Amino acid sequence: MIKNILGTNDFMEFLRGKSATFMLCLSNTKTADIAGITQAGIPGQIYLTPTLDSEFVTCGEVRSLENIAQTPKGVPTPAILTRASHLLKPFSNIELLNLGIKNLPRIDYFQTHEFGISVSGDITTGANIDAMDVFKKGLDFGQEYECKDDYIILAESVPSGTTTAAATAVALGYDCKEMFSSSFKEVPDDIRNKTIENALFNIKYEDDIFAKLSKVADNMLIFTAGFILGLNNKTKLILAGGTQMACALLIVNSILKQMDGHLKTSNLALCTTKWVYEDEKSDIKALLELNDLKVNAYYSDFDFSLSEHPALKLYDEGEAKEGVGAGACVAYALINGISKKELTKKIESLLG
Amino acid sequence: MIKNILGTNDFMEFLRGKSATFMLCLSNTKTADIAGITQAGIPGQIYLTPTLDSEFVTCGEVRSLENIAQTPKGVPTPAILTRASHLLKPFSNIELLNLGIKNLPRIDYFQTHEFGISVSGDITTGANIDAMDVFKKGLDFGQEYECKDDYIILAESVPSGTTTAAATAVALGYDCKEMFSSSFKEVPDDIRNKTIENALFNIKYEDDIFAKLSKVADNMLIFTAGFILGLNNKTKLILAGGTQMACALLIVNSILKQMDGHLKTSNLALCTTKWVYEDEKSDIKALLELNDLKVNAYYSDFDFSLSEHPALKLYDEGEAKEGVGAGACVAYALINGISKKELTKKIESLLG
């Protein structure tokens, strides 16, 4: 039920039955305030999405708003896939990473790592991130982090994160603008491409990697690149996402090339959803193949073919696709004995 | 599937997927010899109930008697809920605490902590407990205990324990006589109230807390109060029971008030059954609200609505209700991905 995008299935098979820490990166970029750029949340309150997603995954309730975040089309957040997986086969541990959010989640007990990182700016005018600082914080966190479980599933909730990821990868010189996914079925190419183009206008020829990241990236991308390098293959890590996580890997690649550095990647993998993998408007596989680093990549062969729920059917029609680690979390459930049917039923039950 | 009685669900959600040590307090009080005071066991052999419960939970067999303990009405011990939870989602560890029982369970391998505590007396004539000694033993055990798991589920098997608990809380000055549960549907108010009244006759105005406990409590209540204080919030602890565990918390409260002491309770919770929560003849919530200590409290939203078994239906009719940590153990199963249906089937299978 887990399919290979790149590499063999050994890595994922090895994790069958093993314990996982689920780590969720929460970040706001003001890029999400651009009208129509994302459907990851409620218009006017898009910034709340990471907050609500983290509340829902950990405690099963959205506390900072009355109802669970839905897109204008009524597509429920992919956090429902994550939560359903956790209900059926609980993660041993959940930790949150505050990478610059406007509203802190209202939860107790669950560890929220604080890094003193601010909400990043709109990339059309400049994200205004201290990229070296955020990168170093990710690096330090990776170096110091001691996982009590067998592996880490690192996920993200960053509205408009695919736009910042596309801008970042292009700014770093990768020929990939068309390879990026979006939460929309009808990708709002005009708004999105215009945003990316405007962002890239700010890049100057003499900008080094970190200068570029400061202008067009988001905190999650930069922090995650640092984290991967800091962790340095000591702990098994699944990057739980699609094109955004692929971009974090491209940042790692660029930094390594500039430093003439090396990184073992035997303990590193990416896992996303079938919706991202099959998306005709993006190309996760090509994006990963642009990378000099060879990283195992998978998608969970899960869709809503067993469901009749109209809100879930929208996923199969190409809306939403990924986020909050949905693809990797479904994979986690599947490699731990949970069936597609059980998952479908549990997800349906969360919609009430 | 876990509902809040007091506080938020964060504590319980945090424990999802985490490992638990199940600790079972076994104690006899001669109060249980009073004819008709409890239905927790076989008339004439009520004293065997903790012994049989511990054998059944650990090894799935009652060894010190031919048949599993049933009440005269045929209500099977709540240990079947505990055992079923353990079968479907095993505790990482089970330990027994001998707090004064007549017959030791006939089991190997499982650690039974011995404290040199004797069976306590009938509270109508005086329980005759060295309360300070039992309390200190609980305190020391809590201070020294190093849990290898993420949390402890502390349960009890003490026939007539709700009667001693009611007498204790009233003796300590709490206005709560009507708030206590009983294993009976038709609470034998005459016998029970008479017992409590007779017990309270022995209390003298000048008696301090420990003098009162010596006369009307049972070893489990006193030891557990010491254990909670000794553990001092260092390990997450679920008090697995209803009104008896609420009484242990009231003892802690009384001791703290007298000493002008404080206790952090962030790692402390109580969890009971739906039958206790919904019982019209007792009031677990009010009992907890009498306490100055704020403790998260939950009940597992589990009943036998999916079963047709007449013996189990008696639970839904108000018999048995709680014991051997049934409510918390069901919660443990539920937060670890076991469904109500699976639990029901497993419990049915234990009845043969």
Side-chain angles (χ1 to χ4, degrees):
Chain A
M1 294 283 267
I2 317 295
K3 299 267 177 82
N4 305 342
I5 300 174
L6 290 175
T8 64
N9 66 350
D10 301 43
F11 180 89
M12 204 53 110
E13 285 296 336
F14 180 77
L15 297 183
R16 204 175 275 280
K18 295 208 159 42
S19 71
T21 285
F22 180 72
M23 213 179 253
L24 184 57
C25 298
L26 309 175
S27 191
N28 288 134
T29 158
K30 288 181 183 157
T31 313
D33 296 342
I34 299 169
I37 197 152
T38 179
Q39 67 171 344
I42 303 147
Q45 293 181 300
I46 298 283
Y47 65 90
L48 275 180
T49 299
T51 308
L52 303 176
D53 280 342
S54 62
E55 290 171 350
F56 188 68
V57 168
T58 54
C59 292
E61 298 173 356
V62 291
R63 293 175 175 174
S64 297
L65 192 78
E66 276 170 27
N67 293 301
I68 184 164
Q70 285 197 343
T71 70
K73 286 188 182 166
V75 187
T77 167
I80 55 170
L81 283 86
T82 305
R83 175 73 182 169
S85 301
H86 180 48
L87 289 175
L88 291 169
K89 171 64 194 177
F91 305 115
S92 304
N93 181 35
I94 299 182
E95 299 182 15
L96 305 178
L97 275 59
N98 179 354
L99 304 182
I101 46 170
K102 210 168 156 188
N103 293 40
L104 278 178
R106 299 179 192 168
I107 52 176
D108 283 327
Y109 296 103
F110 294 91
Q111 188 169 10
T112 301
H113 298 275
E114 296 292 346
F115 301 97
I117 297 175
S118 314
V119 172
S120 65
D122 177 346
I123 59 171
T124 58
T125 52
N128 203 22
I129 299 168
D130 184 343
M132 185 56 91
D133 180 63
V134 172
F135 174 77
K136 266 217 77 210
K137 282 169 174 167
L139 194 75
D140 289 348
F141 184 65
Q143 281 172 345
E144 287 159 20
Y145 189 77
E146 290 186 16
C147 186
K148 289 182 188 127
D149 291 304
D150 296 314
Y151 63 109
I152 301 166
I153 298 173
L154 183 78
E156 58 69 40
S157 178
V158 185
S160 85
T162 58
T163 300
T164 45
T168 299
V170 174
L172 293 179
Y174 297 98
D175 183 14
C176 61
K177 211 175 80 181
E178 304 306 316
M179 295 177 186
F180 277 83
S181 181
S182 157
S183 56
F184 284 96
K185 179 185 171 192
E186 300 303 328
V187 183
D189 270 326
D190 281 351
I191 301 169
R192 199 156 169 271
N193 284 335
K194 196 80 194 152
T195 301
I196 295 168
E197 271 167 35
N198 285 339
L200 293 172
F201 276 134
N202 301 321
I203 301 291
K204 291 184 185 127
Y205 179 75
E206 63 271 25
D207 285 345
D208 67 4
I209 296 172
F210 287 95
K212 289 172 179 171
L213 295 175
S214 298
K215 292 175 180 175
V216 303
D218 63 52
N219 294 317
M220 187 285 289
L221 294 169
I222 303 168
F223 185 95
T224 297
F227 181 70
I228 292 166
L229 283 163
L231 208 59
N232 196 19
N233 214 38
K234 80 177 173 200
T235 305
K236 286 196 166 51
L237 173 66
I238 296 182
L239 299 171
T243 53
Q244 291 167 256
M245 288 301 177
C247 174
L249 283 171
L250 287 173
I251 297 174
V252 171
N253 188 47
S254 293
I255 291 170
L256 283 172
K257 277 170 93 169
Q258 185 183 284
M259 291 165 46
D260 205 16
H262 297 281
L263 177 73
K264 282 193 183 172
T265 56
S266 57
N267 283 332
L268 189 58
L270 179 145
C271 186
T272 188
T273 62
K274 186 180 179 182
W275 302 298
V276 165
Y277 179 72
E278 294 189 344
D279 183 25
E280 289 175 4
K281 305 212 168 163
S282 68
D283 193 341
I284 181 74
K285 188 176 178 188
L287 205 50
L288 290 163
E289 284 173 335
L290 283 179
N291 207 314
D292 301 288
L293 293 169
K294 294 300 158 230
V295 173
N296 289 302
Y298 308 95
Y299 70 93
S300 51
D301 188 12
F302 177 87
D303 56 29
F304 288 116
S305 58
L306 301 181
S307 177
E308 298 297 324
H309 199 295
L312 297 180
K313 281 295 182 191
L314 293 171
Y315 273 84
D316 288 354
E317 289 161 18
E319 304 287 352
K321 297 191 189 74
E322 172 65 289
V324 202
C329 294
V330 164
Y332 169 76
L334 295 175
I335 62 171
N336 283 288
I338 306 300
S339 70
K340 181 178 177 182
K341 191 175 165 189
E342 286 171 289
L343 254 174
T344 304
K345 289 224 172 294
K346 188 59 82 180
I347 294 164
E348 284 175 339
S349 76
L350 295 177
L351 296 174
Chain B
M1 297 282 268
I2 318 294
K3 299 268 176 83
N4 305 341
I5 300 175
L6 289 176
T8 65
N9 66 352
D10 301 45
F11 180 89
M12 204 52 110
E13 283 294 340
F14 180 78
L15 297 183
R16 204 176 275 282
K18 294 208 158 41
S19 70
T21 285
F22 179 72
M23 213 179 253
L24 183 58
C25 297
L26 309 175
S27 191
N28 288 133
T29 157
K30 288 181 182 158
T31 314
D33 296 343
I34 299 171
I37 196 151
T38 179
Q39 66 170 345
I42 303 147
Q45 294 181 299
I46 297 284
Y47 65 90
L48 274 179
T49 298
T51 308
L52 303 176
D53 280 341
S54 62
E55 290 170 350
F56 188 67
V57 167
T58 55
C59 293
E61 297 172 357
V62 291
R63 293 175 176 173
S64 297
L65 191 77
E66 276 169 29
N67 292 303
I68 184 165
Q70 286 197 344
T71 70
K73 286 188 184 168
V75 187
T77 167
I80 56 170
L81 283 86
T82 305
R83 175 71 183 172
S85 301
H86 181 50
L87 289 174
L88 291 169
K89 171 66 192 177
F91 304 114
S92 303
N93 181 34
I94 299 182
E95 299 182 14
L96 306 178
L97 275 59
N98 178 355
L99 305 182
I101 45 171
K102 211 168 155 188
N103 293 42
L104 276 177
R106 298 180 194 167
I107 53 177
D108 282 329
Y109 298 103
F110 293 90
Q111 189 170 9
T112 301
H113 298 276
E114 296 292 345
F115 301 96
I117 296 175
S118 313
V119 172
S120 65
D122 177 346
I123 60 171
T124 57
T125 52
N128 202 22
I129 299 168
D130 184 343
M132 185 57 91
D133 179 63
V134 172
F135 175 77
K136 267 218 76 210
K137 283 170 174 167
L139 194 76
D140 290 347
F141 185 66
Q143 282 172 346
E144 286 159 20
Y145 189 77
E146 289 186 15
C147 186
K148 291 185 185 124
D149 292 304
D150 296 312
Y151 63 110
I152 301 167
I153 298 173
L154 183 77
E156 58 69 40
S157 178
V158 185
S160 84
T162 57
T163 300
T164 44
T168 299
V170 173
L172 293 179
Y174 297 100
D175 183 14
C176 61
K177 210 175 81 180
E178 303 306 316
M179 295 176 185
F180 276 83
S181 183
S182 157
S183 56
F184 283 97
K185 179 186 173 192
E186 301 302 329
V187 183
D189 270 324
D190 282 349
I191 301 170
R192 199 156 168 270
N193 284 335
K194 196 82 194 151
T195 300
I196 294 169
E197 270 168 36
N198 286 339
L200 293 173
F201 276 135
N202 302 320
I203 301 290
K204 292 184 185 125
Y205 179 76
E206 64 270 24
D207 285 346
D208 67 6
I209 295 173
F210 287 96
K212 289 172 179 171
L213 295 175
S214 297
K215 291 175 179 176
V216 303
D218 63 52
N219 294 318
M220 187 284 289
L221 294 170
I222 304 168
F223 185 94
T224 297
F227 181 69
I228 291 166
L229 283 162
L231 208 60
N232 196 18
N233 213 39
K234 79 177 174 201
T235 305
K236 286 195 168 53
L237 173 66
I238 296 183
L239 298 171
T243 52
Q244 291 168 256
M245 289 300 177
C247 175
L249 283 171
L250 288 174
I251 297 174
V252 171
N253 188 47
S254 293
I255 292 171
L256 283 172
K257 278 170 96 167
Q258 184 181 285
M259 291 166 42
D260 207 16
H262 297 280
L263 178 73
K264 282 193 183 170
T265 57
S266 57
N267 284 332
L268 189 58
L270 178 146
C271 186
T272 188
T273 62
K274 188 180 179 182
W275 302 299
V276 165
Y277 179 72
E278 295 189 344
D279 183 24
E280 288 174 4
K281 307 212 168 164
S282 68
D283 193 342
I284 182 74
K285 189 179 178 188
L287 205 50
L288 290 163
E289 284 174 334
L290 283 180
N291 207 314
D292 301 288
L293 293 169
K294 294 298 158 236
V295 173
N296 289 303
Y298 308 96
Y299 69 92
S300 51
D301 189 12
F302 177 87
D303 56 29
F304 288 116
S305 58
L306 301 181
S307 177
E308 299 296 325
H309 199 295
L312 297 180
K313 281 295 182 192
L314 293 172
Y315 273 84
D316 288 354
E317 289 161 19
E319 304 288 352
K321 296 189 189 74
E322 173 65 289
V324 201
C329 294
V330 164
Y332 169 77
L334 295 175
I335 63 170
N336 283 289
I338 307 301
S339 69
K340 181 178 176 179
K341 192 174 163 189
E342 287 170 289
L343 254 174
T344 304
K345 290 228 172 291
K346 187 59 81 181
I347 294 165
E348 284 174 340
S349 77
L350 294 176
L351 295 174

